[in-house]
Amino acid sequence: MLRMITGRPGPSGFGSASTAEQVTHAIDGSNLTAIVTGGASGVGLETARVLAMRNVHVIIAARNMEAANEAKQLILKDNNAARVDIEKLDLSSIRSVKAFADNFSALNLPLNMLINNAGVMFCPFHLSEDGIEMQFATNHIGHFYLTNLLLDKMKETAKATGIQGRIVNLSSLAHLFNYKEGIQFDKINDKNSYHDKKAYGQSKLANILHAKELSRRLQEEGANITVNSVHPGLIMTNLMRHSALMMSILKAFSSFLWKNVSQGAATTCYVALHPSLKGVTGKFFNDCNEYEPSKLAQDGDLARNLWDFSNNLINAALKT
């Protein structure tokens, strides 16, 4: 907590005050290709901008294509040599995720990094077009399915280039504020038991558990890909549109805990690009340093149950 407040660097040499540009200083990503979901605004846009600054070919995956194009132009305005493309992706729609993966495959590009950044937060109860609670559908199921669809491409790229692939899930310390059982498998879509804050925490716990289980599976397989999850920090972005007043009041009393967008993107960029993290997998990072998540987030049985549950939800949706 003291490091979080003071910005004092941790063992990595970086801390809460570090920016995305600082943690990627002098790193050349010219031989890398990355997908950044939700890269049209907020932390996602800053992540895309800094990766492009480090010569990474960035694919911005976004639901709003007008906003995605504006983000691309903003990046190009400051860096006309940047390699940035945009593709449509609505993570709350399983069919949109499949269409995005098919469209990306048709581009015949390599894929070194997948940044699962996009999300929704504290929204009122609502079901996705697939009949799944919206926070769980967007924050977890969409990214879970997208990752599975892109894994073969990442494995092929890692094998062909010898460069280790990296998957980064944006989670949150909000995973600590959750339903008692962690994941309400039998009540995912139950309106009566829905709590917007706990449902968000549930989806963020799912992000960590997904990274944990996928990391385990890839290690067993011997695939040259790491999977980690990160907490970006408290940042006032469009993600908080459903709770803007509450967050503004909170920020007034805890301004020392809040970050700007560049600081918020630092941990993502550090985990995605820094050479010191080669081979590091299945970990949770906060302020650019390893951080121990909740006991539920370290529960291997819960992670495996979530994996099977997620596949079943997706398979059921694809049959309708």
Side-chain angles (χ1 to χ4, degrees):
M1 179 60 76
L2 183 62
R3 280 208 301 261
M4 189 183 300
I5 295 172
T6 63
R8 190 178 68 189
S12 69
F14 304 111
S16 62
S18 300
T19 67
E21 289 190 20
Q22 289 171 342
V23 303
T24 59
H25 177 69
I27 298 176
D28 181 17
S30 57
N31 55 348
L32 304 174
T33 300
I35 291 173
V36 181
T37 71
S41 64
V43 170
L45 172 54
E46 178 66 2
T47 299
R49 184 189 73 81
V50 173
L51 291 181
M53 174 186 287
R54 303 307 176 211
N55 302 317
V56 176
H57 181 185
V58 177
I59 314 296
I60 292 176
R63 181 177 56 82
N64 185 329
M65 291 304 287
E66 182 178 350
N69 188 57
E70 289 175 0
K72 176 181 177 178
Q73 298 309 316
L74 183 66
I75 293 171
L76 290 173
K77 182 180 179 181
D78 291 337
N79 177 13
N80 59 15
R83 295 178 294 158
V84 183
D85 291 303
I86 60 175
E87 291 287 341
K88 186 173 180 60
L89 172 63
D90 180 354
L91 284 157
S92 70
S93 165
I94 286 173
R95 283 173 173 76
S96 176
V97 173
K98 179 65 165 63
F100 171 87
D102 289 342
N103 290 338
F104 179 78
S105 179
L107 296 175
N108 199 29
L109 292 171
L111 182 58
N112 305 94
M113 289 182 283
L114 174 60
I115 314 296
N116 288 322
N117 164 85
V120 293
M121 182 180 184
F122 300 168
C123 55
F125 181 82
H126 180 63
L127 296 180
S128 71
E129 68 178 45
D130 303 301
I132 304 170
E133 187 275 310
M134 188 59 76
Q135 294 194 83
F136 194 75
T138 305
N139 298 349
H140 169 61
I141 292 295
H143 282 125
F144 177 86
Y145 188 40
L146 176 68
T147 303
N148 282 352
L149 291 175
L150 296 174
L151 264 182
D152 283 345
K153 173 57 71 174
M154 292 197 73
K155 291 174 185 176
E156 290 171 10
T157 301
K159 187 174 182 179
T161 63
I163 300 171
Q164 191 168 70
R166 297 191 184 186
I167 298 171
V168 182
N169 283 359
L170 262 76
S171 179
S172 171
L173 287 179
H175 80 276
L176 295 164
F177 184 69
N178 209 325
Y179 297 110
K180 183 179 179 180
E181 61 270 55
I183 308 292
Q184 292 198 126
F185 293 116
D186 58 342
K187 294 182 180 179
I188 285 292
N189 301 326
D190 182 20
K191 184 176 182 179
N192 292 328
S193 63
Y194 181 76
H195 185 289
D196 60 349
K197 312 300 187 298
K198 290 184 179 180
Y200 179 71
Q202 173 178 249
S203 70
K204 295 291 98 180
L205 173 62
N207 293 148
I208 302 176
L209 291 170
H210 171 217
K212 177 182 177 65
E213 177 62 9
L214 179 56
S215 172
R216 184 188 70 80
R217 288 169 178 255
L218 291 174
Q219 283 182 293
E220 277 191 357
E221 187 181 330
N224 191 21
I225 300 172
T226 62
V227 195
N228 294 292
S229 48
V230 305
H231 170 62
L234 282 170
I235 312 117
M236 190 64 75
T237 68
N238 288 337
L239 183 64
M240 296 182 176
R241 60 187 175 276
H242 293 293
S243 56
L245 178 59
M246 181 187 76
M247 288 300 176
S248 295
I249 294 172
L250 177 63
K251 186 175 182 181
F253 291 95
S254 58
S255 59
F256 55 89
L257 292 175
W258 289 69
K259 297 181 178 183
N260 59 40
V261 171
S262 187
Q263 292 168 334
T267 304
T268 303
C269 289
Y270 172 72
V271 175
L273 205 56
H274 204 278
S276 68
L277 292 185
K278 182 177 181 181
V280 176
T281 188
K283 304 297 183 180
F284 179 68
F285 288 82
N286 178 28
D287 295 334
C288 300
N289 288 275
E290 283 189 37
Y291 188 93
E292 186 173 344
S294 70
K295 288 184 178 179
L296 284 171
Q298 301 176 62
D299 188 326
D301 289 336
L302 184 60
R304 285 185 285 275
N305 289 339
L306 175 64
W307 185 278
D308 294 338
F309 179 76
S310 302
N311 275 326
N312 289 337
L313 275 183
I314 292 166
N315 291 335
L318 289 172
K319 291 177 181 177
T320 60

